[in-house]
Amino acid sequence: MRRRKLRRIGKIRGIVEGRIVVEGEFLPRLGEKVYDSSLNEVGVVLSILGPKNKFFIEVKPSKVGDRSIGEPLYIIER
């Protein structure tokens, strides 16, 4: 079995119109699943906004939940 590694994509900057806005640190693929630090699925990457050196990631939540500003989010690298 291959080991999977969490890769931090950034921290939550805010919630806008039901979407989670993440201040990006790593560029994920569109449609990629996003997780919290407990490996609970948070949602999927909907879009990338802004220039390469200061970008934001829009995440469509899979369910309504309590998310905190500053909370880190991750993808699973395979």
Side-chain angles (χ1 to χ4, degrees):
M1 186 163 100
R2 278 184 79 174
R3 246 183 106 119
R4 295 187 282 174
K5 178 182 167 193
L6 280 182
R7 176 82 185 249
R8 189 162 114 168
I9 61 168
K11 292 182 180 179
I12 296 176
R13 183 71 179 265
I15 311 286
V16 179
E17 295 182 4
R19 305 286 195 238
I20 300 169
V21 178
V22 177
E23 189 167 355
E25 298 171 11
F26 171 77
L27 198 59
R29 293 187 314 261
L30 296 179
E32 194 153 15
K33 290 182 181 181
V34 176
Y35 301 87
D36 64 14
S37 59
S38 300
L39 287 180
N40 297 311
E41 186 178 326
V42 172
V44 296
V45 175
L46 196 59
S47 64
I48 310 294
L49 312 162
K52 264 198 294 194
N53 60 343
K54 176 105 170 130
F55 62 94
F56 294 89
I57 302 161
E58 182 182 17
V59 175
K60 179 181 179 184
S62 48
K63 62 181 177 184
V64 177
D66 293 331
R67 296 286 157 213
S68 304
I69 304 299
E71 177 183 358
L73 295 179
Y74 304 85
I75 59 165
I76 295 177
E77 289 187 325
R78 299 184 196 291

